[in-house]
Coordinates of all heavy atoms in Angstrom, one line a residue:
S1 N 146.5 -71.7 -129.5 CA 146.6 -72.2 -128.1 C 147.5 -71.3 -127.3 O 148.2 -70.4 -127.9 CB 147.2 -73.6 -128.0 OG 148.5 -73.7 -128.6
G2 N 147.5 -71.4 -126.0 CA 148.3 -70.6 -125.1 C 147.7 -69.2 -125.0 O 146.6 -69.0 -125.4
G3 N 148.5 -68.3 -124.5 CA 148.0 -66.9 -124.4 C 147.1 -66.7 -123.2 O 146.8 -67.7 -122.4
P4 N 146.6 -65.5 -123.0 CA 145.8 -65.2 -121.8 C 144.4 -65.8 -121.9 O 143.9 -66.1 -123.1 CB 145.8 -63.7 -121.7 CG 145.9 -63.3 -123.2 CD 146.9 -64.3 -123.8
Q5 N 143.7 -65.9 -120.8 CA 142.3 -66.3 -120.9 C 141.5 -65.2 -121.5 O 141.5 -64.1 -121.0 CB 141.8 -66.6 -119.5 CG 140.3 -67.0 -119.4 CD 140.0 -68.2 -120.2 OE1 140.7 -69.2 -120.1 NE2 138.9 -68.2 -120.9
A6 N 140.8 -65.4 -122.6 CA 140.1 -64.4 -123.3 C 138.6 -64.6 -123.2 O 138.1 -65.8 -123.0 CB 140.4 -64.5 -124.8
Q7 N 137.8 -63.5 -123.2 CA 136.4 -63.6 -123.3 C 135.9 -63.8 -124.7 O 134.8 -64.4 -124.9 CB 135.8 -62.3 -122.7 CG 136.1 -62.1 -121.2 CD 135.5 -63.3 -120.4 OE1 134.3 -63.6 -120.4 NE2 136.4 -63.9 -119.6
E8 N 136.6 -63.3 -125.6 CA 136.2 -63.4 -127.0 C 137.5 -63.4 -127.9 O 138.5 -62.8 -127.5 CB 135.4 -62.2 -127.4 CG 135.0 -62.1 -128.9 CD 134.1 -60.9 -129.2 OE1 133.9 -60.1 -128.3 OE2 133.8 -60.8 -130.4
F9 N 137.4 -64.0 -129.1 CA 138.5 -64.0 -130.1 C 138.0 -63.3 -131.3 O 136.8 -63.5 -131.7 CB 139.0 -65.4 -130.4 CG 139.8 -66.0 -129.3 CD1 139.2 -67.0 -128.6 CD2 141.1 -65.6 -129.0 CE1 139.9 -67.7 -127.5 CE2 141.8 -66.2 -128.0 CZ 141.2 -67.2 -127.3
V10 N 138.9 -62.6 -132.0 CA 138.6 -62.1 -133.4 C 139.7 -62.6 -134.3 O 140.8 -62.5 -133.9 CB 138.5 -60.5 -133.3 CG1 138.5 -59.9 -134.7 CG2 137.4 -60.0 -132.4
L11 N 139.3 -63.0 -135.5 CA 140.2 -63.5 -136.5 C 140.2 -62.6 -137.7 O 139.1 -62.3 -138.2 CB 139.9 -64.9 -136.9 CG 140.7 -65.5 -138.0 CD1 142.2 -65.7 -137.6 CD2 140.1 -66.9 -138.4
T12 N 141.3 -62.2 -138.2 CA 141.4 -61.4 -139.5 C 142.4 -62.2 -140.4 O 143.4 -62.7 -140.0 CB 141.8 -60.0 -139.3 OG1 143.2 -60.0 -138.8 CG2 140.9 -59.2 -138.3
V13 N 142.1 -62.1 -141.7 CA 143.0 -62.6 -142.7 C 143.2 -61.5 -143.8 O 142.2 -61.2 -144.4 CB 142.5 -63.9 -143.4 CG1 143.5 -64.4 -144.4 CG2 142.3 -65.0 -142.3
I14 N 144.4 -61.0 -143.9 CA 144.6 -59.9 -144.8 C 145.8 -60.1 -145.7 O 146.9 -60.6 -145.2 CB 144.8 -58.6 -143.9 CG1 143.6 -58.3 -143.1 CG2 145.2 -57.4 -144.7 CD1 143.7 -57.3 -142.0
D15 N 145.7 -59.8 -146.9 CA 146.8 -59.8 -147.9 C 147.5 -58.5 -147.8 O 146.9 -57.4 -148.1 CB 146.2 -60.0 -149.3 CG 147.3 -60.0 -150.4 OD1 148.5 -59.7 -150.1 OD2 146.9 -60.2 -151.6
R16 N 148.7 -58.5 -147.3 CA 149.5 -57.3 -147.1 C 150.2 -56.8 -148.4 O 150.8 -55.8 -148.5 CB 150.5 -57.4 -146.0 CG 150.0 -57.8 -144.7 CD 149.4 -56.6 -144.0 NE 149.0 -57.0 -142.7 CZ 148.0 -56.4 -142.0 NH1 147.5 -55.4 -142.5 NH2 147.7 -56.8 -140.8
D17 N 150.2 -57.7 -149.5 CA 150.9 -57.4 -150.7 C 150.0 -57.0 -151.9 O 150.4 -56.9 -153.0 CB 151.7 -58.6 -151.1 CG 152.8 -59.0 -150.1 OD1 153.4 -58.1 -149.6 OD2 152.9 -60.2 -149.8
A18 N 148.7 -56.8 -151.6 CA 147.8 -56.4 -152.6 C 148.2 -55.1 -153.2 O 148.7 -54.2 -152.5 CB 146.4 -56.4 -152.0
P19 N 147.9 -54.9 -154.5 CA 148.3 -53.7 -155.2 C 147.8 -52.4 -154.6 O 148.5 -51.4 -154.5 CB 147.8 -53.9 -156.6 CG 147.7 -55.3 -156.8 CD 147.4 -55.9 -155.5
G20 N 146.6 -52.4 -154.0 CA 146.0 -51.3 -153.4 C 146.2 -51.1 -152.0 O 145.6 -50.3 -151.3
G21 N 147.1 -51.9 -151.4 CA 147.3 -51.9 -149.9 C 146.7 -53.2 -149.4 O 146.5 -54.2 -150.0
Q22 N 146.3 -53.1 -148.1 CA 145.8 -54.3 -147.5 C 144.4 -54.7 -148.1 O 143.6 -53.9 -148.4 CB 145.7 -54.2 -146.0 CG 144.6 -53.2 -145.5 CD 144.6 -53.1 -144.0 OE1 145.5 -53.6 -143.3 NE2 143.7 -52.5 -143.4
F23 N 144.3 -56.0 -148.3 CA 143.1 -56.6 -148.9 C 142.5 -57.7 -147.9 O 143.2 -58.6 -147.6 CB 143.5 -57.3 -150.2 CG 142.3 -57.6 -151.1 CD1 141.9 -56.7 -152.1 CD2 141.7 -58.9 -151.0 CE1 140.8 -57.1 -152.9 CE2 140.6 -59.2 -151.8 CZ 140.2 -58.3 -152.8
V24 N 141.3 -57.5 -147.4 CA 140.7 -58.3 -146.4 C 140.1 -59.6 -147.1 O 139.3 -59.5 -148.0 CB 139.6 -57.6 -145.7 CG1 138.9 -58.5 -144.7 CG2 140.1 -56.4 -145.0
H25 N 140.5 -60.7 -146.6 CA 140.0 -62.0 -147.1 C 138.9 -62.6 -146.2 O 138.1 -63.4 -146.6 CB 141.1 -63.0 -147.4 CG 141.8 -62.7 -148.6 ND1 141.5 -63.2 -149.9 CD2 142.9 -61.9 -148.8 CE1 142.3 -62.7 -150.8 NE2 143.2 -61.9 -150.2
W26 N 139.1 -62.3 -144.9 CA 138.2 -62.9 -143.9 C 138.2 -62.1 -142.6 O 139.3 -61.8 -142.1 CB 138.6 -64.4 -143.6 CG 137.6 -65.3 -143.1 CD1 136.2 -65.2 -143.1 CD2 137.8 -66.6 -142.5 NE1 135.6 -66.3 -142.5 CE2 136.6 -67.1 -142.2 CE3 139.0 -67.3 -142.2 CZ2 136.5 -68.4 -141.5 CZ3 138.9 -68.5 -141.6 CH2 137.6 -69.1 -141.3
L27 N 137.0 -61.9 -142.0 CA 136.9 -61.3 -140.7 C 135.9 -62.2 -139.9 O 134.8 -62.5 -140.4 CB 136.3 -59.9 -140.8 CG 137.0 -58.8 -141.5 CD1 136.1 -57.6 -141.6 CD2 138.3 -58.5 -140.7
V28 N 136.3 -62.6 -138.7 CA 135.4 -63.4 -137.9 C 135.5 -62.9 -136.5 O 136.6 -62.7 -136.0 CB 135.8 -64.9 -137.9 CG1 134.8 -65.7 -137.0 CG2 135.9 -65.5 -139.3
W29 N 134.4 -62.6 -135.9 CA 134.3 -62.1 -134.5 C 133.3 -62.9 -133.7 O 132.5 -63.7 -134.3 CB 134.1 -60.6 -134.4 CG 132.8 -60.2 -134.9 CD1 131.6 -60.2 -134.2 CD2 132.4 -59.8 -136.3 NE1 130.5 -59.8 -135.1 CE2 131.1 -59.5 -136.3 CE3 133.2 -59.5 -137.4 CZ2 130.4 -59.0 -137.4 CZ3 132.5 -59.1 -138.5 CH2 131.2 -58.9 -138.5
G30 N 133.3 -62.6 -132.4 CA 132.3 -63.3 -131.6 C 132.7 -64.7 -131.3 O 131.8 -65.6 -130.9
I31 N 133.9 -65.1 -131.5 CA 134.4 -66.4 -131.2 C 134.5 -66.6 -129.7 O 135.3 -65.8 -129.1 CB 135.8 -66.7 -131.9 CG1 135.6 -66.5 -133.5 CG2 136.2 -68.1 -131.6 CD1 137.0 -66.5 -134.2
P32 N 133.8 -67.5 -129.1 CA 133.9 -67.6 -127.6 C 135.3 -67.9 -127.1 O 136.1 -68.5 -127.8 CB 133.0 -68.8 -127.3 CG 132.1 -68.9 -128.5 CD 132.9 -68.4 -129.7
G33 N 135.6 -67.3 -126.0 CA 136.9 -67.5 -125.4 C 137.3 -68.9 -125.1 O 138.5 -69.3 -124.9
S34 N 136.3 -69.8 -125.0 CA 136.6 -71.2 -124.7 C 137.0 -72.0 -126.0 O 137.4 -73.1 -125.9 CB 135.3 -71.9 -124.2 OG 134.2 -71.8 -125.1
V35 N 136.8 -71.4 -127.2 CA 137.1 -72.0 -128.5 C 138.6 -71.8 -128.8 O 139.1 -70.7 -128.6 CB 136.2 -71.4 -129.5 CG1 136.6 -71.9 -130.9 CG2 134.8 -71.8 -129.2
Q36 N 139.2 -72.8 -129.4 CA 140.6 -72.7 -129.8 C 140.9 -72.9 -131.3 O 141.9 -73.4 -131.7 CB 141.5 -73.6 -128.9 CG 141.5 -73.2 -127.5 CD 142.5 -74.0 -126.7 OE1 142.7 -75.2 -126.9 NE2 143.1 -73.4 -125.7
G37 N 139.9 -72.6 -132.1 CA 140.0 -72.8 -133.5 C 138.8 -72.6 -134.3 O 137.7 -72.5 -133.7
V38 N 139.0 -72.4 -135.6 CA 137.8 -72.3 -136.5 C 138.0 -73.3 -137.6 O 139.1 -73.4 -138.2 CB 137.8 -70.9 -137.1 CG1 136.8 -70.7 -138.2 CG2 137.7 -69.8 -136.0
A39 N 137.0 -74.2 -137.8 CA 137.1 -75.2 -138.8 C 136.4 -74.7 -140.1 O 135.5 -73.9 -140.0 CB 136.3 -76.5 -138.2
P40 N 136.8 -75.3 -141.2 CA 136.2 -74.9 -142.5 C 134.7 -75.2 -142.6 O 134.0 -74.5 -143.3 CB 137.0 -75.6 -143.5 CG 137.9 -76.6 -142.9 CD 137.8 -76.3 -141.4
E41 N 134.2 -76.2 -141.9 CA 132.8 -76.6 -142.1 C 131.8 -75.6 -141.5 O 130.7 -75.5 -142.0 CB 132.6 -78.0 -141.5 CG 133.5 -79.1 -142.1 CD 134.8 -79.1 -141.4 OE1 135.0 -78.8 -140.2 OE2 135.8 -79.5 -142.1

């Protein structure tokens, strides 16, 4: 919540402590600017 009015959101989830450096667990893009969350379902 909060922040500027966005046209789109992008979500990344990254393990910064992985032995080989950053390890990507999740990338989501194209989230409409009117949305304020991502549900597991």
Side-chain angles (χ1 to χ4, degrees):
S1 63
Q5 178 61 43
Q7 294 299 308
E8 176 182 0
F9 291 105
V10 171
L11 173 66
T12 64
V13 180
I14 299 172
D15 177 354
R16 302 282 184 205
D17 298 316
Q22 70 182 9
F23 193 93
V24 177
H25 284 270
W26 202 19
L27 296 172
V28 184
W29 64 84
I31 303 168
S34 59
V35 172
Q36 294 186 324
V38 176
E41 301 85 32

